[in-house]
Amino acid sequence: MDLKDVQLRTKWETENGVFIAESWNVIERAREAGYSPISFLVSEQWARKGAERLQTLADPDTPIYVLPEEDTTHITGFRVHRGAMALMERTPLPAPSSLLKPSSTVAVLEGLVDHTNVGAIFRSAAALGIDAVFISPDCADPLYRRSVRVSMGAVFQVPWTRLVKYPDPQLFTAYGFTTWALTPHGDAKLGETTRPRRLALIVGSEGPGLSPKALTSADCRITIPMSHDVDSLNVAQAAAIAFWATRQ
Amino acid sequence: MDLKDVQLRTKWETENGVFIAESWNVIERAREAGYSPISFLVSEQWARKGAERLQTLADPDTPIYVLPEEDTTHITGFRVHRGAMALMERTPLPAPSSLLKPSSTVAVLEGLVDHTNVGAIFRSAAALGIDAVFISPDCADPLYRRSVRVSMGAVFQVPWTRLVKYPDPQLFTAYGFTTWALTPHGDAKLGETTRPRRLALIVGSEGPGLSPKALTSADCRITIPMSHDVDSLNVAQAAAIAFWATRQ
């Protein structure tokens, strides 16, 4: 497989139940979150410098591939950040109900294609007390390398799962959640609407916006009031504002 | 000059009082904002397809270079977006006082190095009613290609200038502004502090955070309260929240 092909890699990683963790810190956080390494790829330089750390992170029988830096760069198509990468095993995704039961505020990400936005939203979610994140079947992978990095590891911290059925308003209603769809053309304004006790905030991709079925099935379509001539915010900024405005 | 070298181009563009506008829409918005094109670089295909638009945007004596697409890609190092690029002339930056006089809320960006963050902050500033943006001497260029694109043209919409002296608390005080420095370790909390009538919000780069002199010279150091274990938000998200929380 060509590791340099993002699309191919994203597909291959999820289908095979693995993901790539890059840098000692990320590998460490992934381990703490319960993910196990399958193998390591380390540059010669970092195998020496990080020998002790490597021993803590790898189990005795985990293969560790040590290569000159030019080879790790050649294989991966980028400079292996801080010298270490690990192939990690995904854990089964939690059942939506198990995430909803203990939560007050959750986010639902619909069809985001940009890993940077996914990572940024997880980072804000962790900082602003979102209890769990649900992603639509076609949403970009939170465990993809760039999502992980931009999230500053928050993808290992905030519980999340991928919805198989989407949209599924009954699921949220069943657990007492009111769903708010964030859209530039809503019927209520953020900051002027009292949040329900249990809230699911739905945000969608920038170009097309939320799907009609997500909009119509939500309990409320909510808008961030904006200045004249501006029709939208970047989805990561909009989500951060919504998380902040609905905090408890 | 090698157009593919970002650092070199950034420096060359600002020193020579020019910038590059990419795509018909951006060129159009730049023209509307009072910038004049010096020359155009258009692929053969788009010179045909966009002939009418090109005539509207170019003055009769503006040079238009038409090249096969492989050549425009080779010269610039990227696929010229929607077939058109223009070298535009910068206008003199406005005096800070002229921006402060009519404003209620302004943003000050200190030392941001990431053009994506600069662009994203301008986009939020436009959407959330920030009257003007001030950038520190070492802040990344709002007119750099990536800033412009990420801002969705907001860099042409929100008045801005680069400060020569920085920090310059007296400047803001002289016009009745209270300065708030956004920092993870502040002495007041956003959302629990009443905004002053005229407010200057100072945000800084992520890694090092705001400089000690910016922090000590600000009237107030303000913090976005965050959940346990999270020490910071991305600067573009933090700015968006601060713009929202202090809106009038």
Side-chain angles (χ1 to χ4, degrees):
Chain A
M1 191 200 43
D2 186 357
L3 276 169
K4 286 171 255 184
D5 184 325
V6 173
Q7 273 199 305
L8 187 61
R9 246 188 62 196
T10 313
K11 194 165 171 290
W12 183 83
E13 285 179 20
T14 45
E15 278 178 3
N16 288 277
V18 298
F19 68 98
I20 288 169
E22 191 194 2
S23 90
W24 300 112
N25 282 338
V26 168
I27 298 170
E28 213 159 71
R29 295 190 80 160
R31 283 230 70 164
E32 284 164 14
Y35 297 101
S36 303
I38 296 166
S39 64
F40 284 84
L41 176 64
V42 190
S43 70
E44 280 172 352
Q45 187 199 0
W46 279 98
R48 280 192 302 275
K49 278 200 213 171
E52 228 171 290
R53 219 161 169 191
L54 196 53
Q55 266 190 333
T56 332
L57 292 173
D59 295 317
D61 56 347
T62 314
I64 299 169
Y65 302 101
V66 180
L67 288 173
E69 193 169 309
E70 58 265 35
D71 292 342
T72 59
T73 307
H74 180 72
I75 292 171
T76 59
F78 50 86
R79 208 169 147 260
V80 175
H81 201 60
R82 303 209 186 154
M85 267 173 81
L87 186 67
M88 313 284 296
E89 200 173 341
R90 289 179 191 244
T91 48
L93 288 172
S97 59
S98 72
L99 298 187
L100 286 171
K101 265 182 221 160
S103 297
S104 300
T105 315
V106 301
V108 182
L109 315 187
E110 183 192 83
L112 301 186
V113 290
D114 185 326
H115 291 104
T116 306
N117 283 337
V118 172
I121 292 176
F122 267 86
R123 186 173 174 190
S124 302
L128 299 168
I130 297 297
D131 301 308
V133 175
F134 297 83
I135 62 175
S136 69
D138 58 345
C139 188
D141 181 18
L143 295 184
Y144 184 68
R145 178 174 168 254
R146 180 147 183 83
S147 313
V148 173
R149 198 173 47 200
V150 173
S151 84
M152 304 287 274
V155 292
F156 302 131
Q157 197 177 349
V158 181
W160 65 274
T161 199
R162 192 181 284 276
L163 296 167
V164 177
K165 188 182 165 198
Y166 182 85
D168 186 3
Q170 286 82 355
L171 169 71
F172 294 92
T173 311
Y175 289 90
F177 279 79
T178 301
T179 50
W180 281 10
L182 205 64
T183 166
H185 311 290
D187 34 43
K189 284 183 184 169
L190 192 74
E192 296 176 11
T193 314
T194 310
R195 64 156 280 163
R197 202 173 60 82
R198 303 188 108 179
L199 171 64
L201 274 164
I202 312 166
V203 299
S205 82
E206 290 205 69
L210 281 173
S211 64
K213 55 186 181 175
L215 286 170
T216 51
S217 67
D219 296 315
C220 173
R221 283 140 296 280
I222 198 134
T223 295
I224 299 175
M226 288 181 220
S227 301
H228 49 91
D229 290 349
V230 180
D231 52 357
S232 77
L233 281 157
N234 166 282
V235 66
Q237 268 79 275
I241 291 170
F243 296 165
W244 162 264
T246 58
R247 76 198 179 284
Q248 288 181 305
Chain B
M1 189 202 40
D2 185 357
L3 276 169
K4 286 171 255 183
D5 184 325
V6 173
Q7 273 199 306
L8 187 62
R9 245 187 64 195
T10 314
K11 193 165 173 287
W12 183 85
E13 285 179 20
T14 46
E15 278 178 2
N16 288 277
V18 298
F19 68 97
I20 288 169
E22 191 193 3
S23 90
W24 300 112
N25 282 339
V26 168
I27 298 169
E28 211 159 72
R29 295 190 79 159
R31 282 229 72 162
E32 284 165 13
Y35 296 101
S36 303
I38 297 165
S39 64
F40 284 82
L41 176 63
V42 191
S43 69
E44 279 172 352
Q45 185 199 2
W46 280 98
R48 282 192 301 275
K49 278 201 212 170
E52 227 171 289
R53 218 160 169 191
L54 196 53
Q55 266 191 333
T56 333
L57 293 172
D59 295 318
D61 56 349
T62 312
I64 299 169
Y65 302 101
V66 180
L67 287 173
E69 192 169 307
E70 58 265 33
D71 292 343
T72 59
T73 307
H74 180 72
I75 291 171
T76 59
F78 49 85
R79 208 167 148 261
V80 174
H81 200 63
R82 304 208 185 155
M85 268 173 77
L87 186 68
M88 312 284 295
E89 199 173 341
R90 289 179 190 245
T91 48
L93 289 172
S97 58
S98 73
L99 297 188
L100 286 171
K101 265 182 221 160
S103 296
S104 300
T105 315
V106 301
V108 181
L109 315 187
E110 182 191 84
L112 300 186
V113 290
D114 185 326
H115 291 105
T116 306
N117 283 336
V118 172
I121 292 175
F122 268 86
R123 185 172 175 192
S124 302
L128 299 168
I130 297 296
D131 301 309
V133 174
F134 296 83
I135 62 175
S136 69
D138 58 346
C139 188
D141 182 19
L143 295 184
Y144 183 71
R145 178 175 168 255
R146 178 144 185 85
S147 314
V148 173
R149 197 173 47 198
V150 173
S151 84
M152 303 287 276
V155 294
F156 302 131
Q157 196 178 350
V158 181
W160 66 274
T161 198
R162 192 181 284 277
L163 296 168
V164 177
K165 189 184 164 195
Y166 182 84
D168 187 3
Q170 287 82 357
L171 169 71
F172 294 91
T173 311
Y175 289 90
F177 279 79
T178 300
T179 50
W180 282 8
L182 206 64
T183 167
H185 311 289
D187 33 43
K189 284 183 183 169
L190 192 74
E192 296 176 10
T193 315
T194 310
R195 64 156 282 162
R197 202 172 60 79
R198 301 188 108 179
L199 171 64
L201 274 164
I202 312 167
V203 298
S205 81
E206 289 205 68
L210 280 172
S211 65
K213 55 187 183 177
L215 286 170
T216 51
S217 68
D219 296 314
C220 173
R221 281 141 298 279
I222 200 136
T223 295
I224 299 175
M226 288 181 221
S227 301
H228 51 92
D229 290 349
V230 182
D231 52 357
S232 77
L233 281 158
N234 165 284
V235 65
Q237 268 81 278
I241 291 170
F243 296 165
W244 162 264
T246 58
R247 74 200 182 284
Q248 288 182 304

